[in-house]
Amino acid sequence: MNKNKLFILVFVLCFSILSSQTFTGIYIFKINSKVPTQTYNSILSSQNKTWFVETKQELLIDTSETKKTSSESGLTVEHISDDYKNIIMPSPPEYYKDSQTDNMLSRNFYLTKACYIKENLDQFTWKISDEIVIYNGKKYNEATTEFRGKTWIVYFDPKVSFNIAPWKFYGLPGVVVYAKTTDNLYTFELKEYKIVEKNTSINNPFEKEKLITWDQYKENYKEYLKRLIKKWSADSEDGNGGSIKMDNTIEDLGFTEIK
């Protein structure tokens, strides 16, 4: 074997090792109100450039003595107190991102009815600051973006080779370690992560599902709620139905009026 062939073989082997990595991380999503937190379990394969993000509800309060009942629809209802009940979905939201097709697929809900949405992955216009921020004693870069009614401040680490982020975020050169809205309502925090020298094949979990656009989702959600309100109001003195007004973002519970 001559030197050129040996060099090429070594290069291919080294490149294969470097490109066969898998990132796994856990993000904690919090809403600044009396609702459960969510855990985002993230997986990113360096070889096929796909993400799979699965959410899992976790309660902030002790529910060791609460009563648990399962409804016929598959939901689990936790009676926290006289004023609060936690509804746990049988299949929590999931996000599948593919940078090769520039698509993001997600499972969402019309209240409890599942639906599947296809969106463009590259939806974010980032403004990356020249300032370095200190968070939990470490230095990070900062970026801001506006998305569906909210302004986000994001800290990311460009030293990590994986460009990974929770939820629908995409497009920053590094791993997102923290994100918050300027009104302090929503936060994401990377609690832990690891990178292993192996390739993980990440399958599309929504390959056989009927996909709709984000605009279709908003319109369908609105019609779904209108039918529910009409059904509810039929039993009341005013049987004329109801109306719903919403802004651009259901993700921010963007209903401006329901009656």
Side-chain angles (χ1 to χ4, degrees), residues 123-136:
Q123 300 186 75
F124 296 89
T125 301
W126 295 101
K127 295 180 181 179
I128 299 178
S129 173
D130 294 330
E131 301 292 328
I132 299 298
V133 297
I134 306 296
Y135 180 70
N136 286 341

Side-chain angles (χ1 to χ4, degrees), residues 143-158:
T144 58
T145 189
E146 293 185 4
F147 185 67
R148 292 178 181 161
K150 290 292 182 183
T151 300
W152 290 86
I153 300 173
V154 173
Y155 305 155
F156 67 97
D157 188 351

Side-chain angles (χ1 to χ4, degrees), residues 31-240:
I31 303 176
N32 189 22
S33 59
K34 291 184 178 180
V35 297
T37 62
Q38 289 181 344
T39 301
Y40 278 58
N41 299 304
S42 304
I43 303 174
L44 170 59
S45 171
S46 63
Q47 205 164 72
N48 58 15
K49 301 298 182 184
T50 56
W51 295 257
F52 179 66
V53 183
E54 179 185 19
T55 65
K56 178 183 178 183
Q57 279 192 335
E58 292 185 353
L59 293 174
L60 288 173
I61 53 180
D62 182 11
T63 60
S64 58
E65 296 183 1
T66 60
K67 299 178 181 178
K68 295 185 179 182
T69 58
S70 296
S71 67
E72 293 180 359
S73 62
L75 300 177
T76 298
V77 181
E78 293 190 345
H79 300 273
I80 307 304
S81 68
D82 291 339
D83 300 322
Y84 178 69
K85 296 178 181 178
N86 177 39
I87 307 298
I88 300 178
M89 299 294 184
S91 299
E94 294 173 345
Y95 302 86
Y96 177 80
K97 307 177 187 179
D98 188 347
S99 60
Q100 294 175 332
T101 62
D102 200 29
N103 288 327
M104 178 180 63
L105 312 180
S106 62
R107 175 169 58 214
N108 220 309
F109 296 89
Y110 307 123
L111 295 184
T112 60
K113 182 181 178 182
C115 61
Y116 303 89
I117 304 171
K118 179 179 179 180
E119 299 181 72
N120 188 284
L121 188 60
D122 192 7
Q123 300 186 75
F124 296 89
T125 301
W126 295 101
K127 295 180 181 179
I128 299 178
S129 173
D130 294 330
E131 301 292 328
I132 299 298
V133 297
I134 306 296
Y135 180 70
N136 286 341
K138 296 182 179 180
K139 296 180 179 180
Y140 299 109
N141 291 74
E142 181 181 273
T144 58
T145 189
E146 293 185 4
F147 185 67
R148 292 178 181 161
K150 290 292 182 183
T151 300
W152 290 86
I153 300 173
V154 173
Y155 305 155
F156 67 97
D157 188 351
K159 297 186 295 294
V160 179
S161 59
F162 281 84
N163 303 335
I164 191 169
W167 189 51
K168 298 185 177 183
F169 292 133
Y170 176 76
L172 284 172
V175 60
V176 170
V177 298
Y178 184 75
K180 68 176 180 179
T181 54
T182 52
D183 60 6
N184 293 316
L185 182 59
Y186 301 144
T187 60
F188 286 94
E189 183 178 12
L190 180 62
K191 299 298 291 185
E192 60 183 80
Y193 77 91
K194 64 180 179 180
I195 298 174
V196 295
E197 301 293 335
K198 69 174 183 178
N199 180 53
T200 300
S201 179
I202 303 174
N203 299 319
N204 180 357
F206 312 121
E207 187 174 7
K208 297 181 180 180
E209 302 295 346
K210 180 180 178 181
L211 301 172
I212 59 175
T213 66
W214 176 255
D215 287 337
Q216 289 173 325
Y217 172 59
K218 288 193 300 179
E219 187 60 31
N220 291 349
Y221 205 156
K222 184 176 179 178
E223 293 301 317
Y224 180 77
L225 290 175
K226 284 172 67 174
R227 290 195 299 270
L228 287 181
I229 290 176
K230 186 175 181 180
K231 180 179 179 180
W232 294 335
S233 59
D235 296 328
S236 64
E237 294 181 2
D238 181 9
N240 295 323

